[in-house]
Amino acid sequence: MRKRRYTALILIVIGIALAFLPASPVGSNDILTLLITLFIIAALASSWNILAGFVGRINLGHASFFGIGALVTRELWLGADWHPALAFIVGGATAALAALIVGAPALRLKGIYFSVGTLALAEAMRLTVGTILPRVSRLPGPELRSYELAPRYLIALGVLALIVAFVYWLRQSKLGLGMMAVREDEEAAKSVGVNIFFHSLIAFILSAFFAGLAGGAFAFYHVGYYPNFPFGPEWTFEALLVTFVGGIGTLVGPLVGAVFFVMISDLLSSNPDLLNVHLIVFGALFIAVVLALPGGIIEVVTRLRRRVLVAPKQP
Amino acid sequence: MDANIVAQSLLSGALVGSLYGLSALGLSLVFGVLKVLNISHGELLMLGGYASFWLFSLLGIDPYLSLVIVIPLMLIIGVLLHLGLFRHVTEFDEEHRIKNSLLIGFGLTLIFQTLAIRLFTADDRSIATAYSTDALELLGLRVPIVRFSGVFIGALVVIGLQLFLKRTYWGKAIRATAEDWRTAALSGINIRQMYLITFTLGAALAGIAGMLVSLQYSVSPNIGLGWTLKALIVVVLAGLGSIPGTFIAGILLGLAETASALVFGGEFRELVGLVIFLVILSVRPQGLFGARHA
């Protein structure tokens, strides 16, 4: 319990420090841009982790919820002239609603069929959105002239903080324990009265809701992009990579993985010869994690710390 | 609508479909025997396509002839991938086997795609031979020779595989392993060897399909996922276990695509397969192995 309180304390301190960054001299535009990317990836990965880490279902169509959030937020904000905050919440809620509708048939699919089914669904959505909205969505003149990075930064940070706080609560709640029971052993969970379908569906909806919020942050941040871009499979894949490399099913795993991912890609992309090499590095790390180290970076850290802390006591 | 246009489109749909069938054969075989879903199958196809493209444009080797080099190359890649990665996955129990194979295939997808962008750039490449524009006239319909060759090569591969699986010792041992690996192992079949042969064969089949894709259409680093999805749709349509059935299901998918393009317009072409896929999945949520393995 004490260790857990330390984690919370450290996360809160980091969060507050990050919130004051735009006002400080360190907060240059380069740094803010990098951190916005980091926050969005970390938020998306953490939201994916709710279903994959807690219930054990690999959703390969997560990008569709990110895309729905981005699409609805952008349309309501720029198209219907809503207040961004309201557009934002409705964006997340629409993603959650989509998960509720898709959830019942999708979650009936066992194991891998759930994964390929959601992958096909996301591709179908990407194609449909690309057909209906083929043109680039750009910020109109007035918005463009008043564009500032700091509020975008704070919104992305806020979304991430919200997800992390939620997962923190989920870990020790009855709901979260029920989800983990489903992950470990469906039969055993059923025998102690855990409703498997209910827990899977709730996790799916929550995961979609937070992905939708992350999509909203994306829509609010980007100046121009094709509306079907956030529906692309690469968003799902990045969330999956980051979560696995960091440590699936943990609170800080997706965060550590995202920091690692953004750092490596930033370091390598400064050299044009090494463009995209970070994807090869991460792909290889990911395979290594799947085959040899199911706990990811977090487990390595935990093991090392245990060794350092325990070793001196031994004669 | 002009009957001739309809016939022409359906014919080209069937011809594309034979490529879908061909690209699904390897995936289906590996899935059925190893119980491993290799979603980097489309990337193997892409590698095969690039191999014959470069052999053609750098050395001037005819694409059909290049199979003599492409197939052994893909066999080597298959052996390396199996021994390096997928062999470890087959040691898991069935549920983890399939989940981990999915994840590993996904990691490979990323690596192959990025490598291809770095090595070959993101440009579309296609093989343009002297005979690429030649066409056969058939009942008033024009069939480009290179497209027709897809059906021909596909049929040859189906017959060859069928003979291999039904007549040879290895083929029979592979079918026994697919049926029930425990019993197969108890009857003295070296199932690890069968896994290796099947996976390698799957890679070679992807390579053949890749050659035809770069000859008839084009290859670029990001075509992999699209072809994997097509192959998955075909596998779901055909079920596991029948080689001719898989090939025919591919042709049916091609026909369904063109039919929907004719009725609803070209932009819905890609959608129909995904819809079929989702419908079949929701009708049979227990998956392809059915109740027998549940």
Side-chain angles (χ1 to χ4, degrees):
Chain A
M1 223 46 219
R2 235 177 99 201
K3 197 189 130 218
R4 184 168 281 173
R5 227 173 287 147
Y6 276 132
T7 316
L9 200 65
I10 293 167
L11 286 173
I12 290 171
V13 169
I14 294 176
I16 292 174
L18 285 171
F20 283 105
L21 193 76
S24 75
V26 194
S28 69
N29 277 355
D30 284 352
I31 298 277
L32 292 190
T33 310
L34 189 68
L35 286 175
I36 293 175
T37 313
L38 169 68
F39 296 157
I40 291 178
I41 291 180
L44 192 61
S46 298
S47 70
W48 187 77
N49 188 36
I50 294 175
L51 187 66
F54 282 81
V55 184
R57 293 293 197 113
I58 305 288
N59 172 6
L60 288 185
H62 200 53
S64 53
F65 302 121
F66 183 69
I68 289 174
L71 185 72
V72 171
T73 306
R74 188 93 166 178
E75 287 298 313
L76 291 178
W77 169 44
L78 296 178
D81 236 2
W82 284 30
H83 190 273
L86 199 58
F88 209 53
I89 294 166
V90 176
T94 315
L97 184 68
L100 176 66
I101 296 168
V102 174
L107 288 165
R108 274 172 63 227
L109 300 176
K110 294 264 172 274
I112 195 164
Y113 299 101
F114 174 75
S115 304
V116 292
T118 47
L119 177 65
L121 196 64
E123 277 299 283
M125 296 237 8
R126 185 176 68 84
L127 289 167
T128 311
V129 172
T131 308
I132 299 170
L133 299 167
R135 266 181 292 171
V136 174
S137 158
R138 277 182 214 290
L139 285 186
E143 260 85 9
L144 200 56
R145 274 187 292 280
S146 64
Y147 188 90
E148 265 183 70
L149 222 42
R152 269 88 186 167
Y153 171 90
L154 288 175
I155 282 188
L157 178 62
V159 169
L160 178 59
L162 188 68
I163 299 176
V164 172
F166 176 79
V167 175
Y168 183 81
W169 170 80
L170 188 65
R171 282 198 312 176
Q172 47 206 325
S173 69
K174 195 172 167 225
L175 184 67
L177 291 174
M179 289 175 185
M180 287 187 261
V182 174
R183 178 190 69 196
E184 291 305 321
D185 189 336
E186 286 202 3
E187 289 306 312
K190 213 186 287 177
S191 71
V192 292
V194 174
N195 184 333
I196 293 169
F197 180 73
F198 171 78
H199 281 84
S200 310
L201 186 64
I202 292 291
F204 193 45
I205 292 172
L206 288 168
S207 167
F209 173 69
F210 288 118
L213 289 186
F218 172 92
F220 194 51
Y221 161 59
H222 277 276
V223 173
Y225 61 88
Y226 285 98
N228 71 347
F229 172 62
F231 287 87
E234 56 270 28
W235 293 101
T236 304
F237 294 171
E238 275 180 16
L240 186 149
L241 274 186
V242 158
T243 309
F244 265 94
V245 172
I248 189 167
T250 63
L251 174 70
V252 276
L255 308 180
V256 172
V259 170
F260 213 58
F261 183 78
V262 172
M263 253 169 47
I264 291 183
S265 64
D266 187 59
L267 276 177
L268 295 178
S269 66
S270 56
N271 182 345
D273 287 340
L274 296 177
L275 189 71
N276 285 331
V277 170
H278 69 283
L279 290 177
I280 301 177
V281 173
F282 248 74
L285 262 178
F286 170 77
I287 292 177
V289 166
V290 170
L291 279 180
L293 200 88
I297 296 176
I298 290 300
E299 191 175 309
V300 178
V301 174
T302 319
R303 275 192 207 164
L304 284 179
R305 193 163 57 187
R306 205 172 292 151
R307 195 168 296 168
V308 172
L309 290 180
V310 171
K313 289 183 190 160
Q314 287 167 350
Chain B
M1 214 181 297
D2 189 355
N4 204 31
I5 295 178
V6 174
Q8 183 76 54
S9 330
L10 288 178
L11 180 64
S12 64
L15 293 177
V16 178
S18 68
L19 283 192
Y20 297 162
L22 195 54
S23 66
L25 284 178
L27 189 80
S28 169
L29 202 62
V30 172
F31 197 11
V33 178
L34 281 79
K35 311 286 184 282
V36 149
L37 179 61
N38 176 17
I39 60 164
S40 61
H41 190 73
E43 271 66 30
L44 294 178
L45 181 149
M46 182 244 324
L47 289 182
Y50 269 115
S52 48
F53 170 80
W54 288 115
L55 286 171
F56 174 76
S57 58
L58 295 179
L59 302 175
I61 297 174
D62 182 86
Y64 297 106
L65 201 62
S66 77
L67 284 180
V68 180
I69 304 168
V70 172
I71 292 175
L73 192 73
M74 294 309 293
L75 289 174
I76 293 170
I77 292 178
V79 168
L80 291 178
L81 285 182
H82 184 75
L83 294 183
L85 298 173
F86 286 96
R87 183 187 52 163
H88 305 291
V89 180
T90 57
E91 310 288 328
F92 291 110
D93 64 87
E94 223 152 88
E95 189 194 340
H96 284 96
R97 195 191 279 204
I98 212 156
K99 194 162 167 182
N100 285 341
S101 70
L102 180 83
L103 295 171
I104 286 177
F106 159 74
L108 283 178
T109 297
L110 203 70
I111 293 175
F112 283 142
Q113 227 184 70
T114 315
L115 273 179
I117 293 178
R118 292 190 54 81
L119 294 176
F120 313 134
T121 76
D123 296 344
D124 271 336
R125 313 270 190 177
S126 57
I127 298 177
T129 58
Y131 50 85
S132 283
T133 50
D134 292 356
L136 289 172
E137 290 281 341
L138 203 83
L139 301 168
L141 304 176
R142 272 176 58 87
V143 193
I145 293 176
V146 289
R147 298 229 170 154
F148 186 71
S149 72
V151 182
F152 185 68
I153 291 181
L156 275 184
V157 168
V158 167
I159 294 169
L161 267 181
Q162 202 68 343
L163 287 176
F164 171 71
L165 290 174
K166 297 263 153 100
R167 296 289 165 82
T168 64
Y169 169 74
W170 275 4
K172 287 176 188 166
I174 285 173
R175 277 165 49 221
T177 311
E179 199 68 37
D180 185 342
W181 64 270
R182 283 187 189 85
T183 316
L186 285 174
S187 3
I189 291 170
N190 183 349
I191 59 165
R192 289 206 174 87
Q193 191 186 11
M194 294 312 134
Y195 284 163
L196 174 65
I197 294 169
T198 310
F199 188 88
T200 313
L201 199 60
L205 288 169
I208 298 173
M211 182 281 279
L212 288 167
V213 169
S214 69
L215 179 63
Q216 301 182 8
Y217 304 94
S218 61
V219 282
S220 67
N222 61 3
I223 60 167
L225 181 64
W227 284 96
T228 302
L229 275 175
K230 292 275 196 262
L232 267 174
I233 296 168
V234 173
V235 169
V236 165
L237 258 178
L240 291 168
S242 163
I243 299 288
T246 304
F247 189 62
I248 290 166
I251 294 178
L252 286 179
L253 175 63
L255 285 172
E257 280 188 358
T258 33
S260 74
L262 282 171
V263 178
F264 303 112
E267 61 269 30
F268 290 96
R269 199 192 150 82
E270 300 291 312
L271 220 56
V272 63
L274 295 172
V275 172
I276 294 175
F277 182 74
L278 291 170
V279 168
I280 296 180
L281 273 189
S282 54
V283 176
R284 290 181 59 85
Q286 74 273 35
L288 302 172
F289 298 115
R292 202 156 47 90
H293 286 260

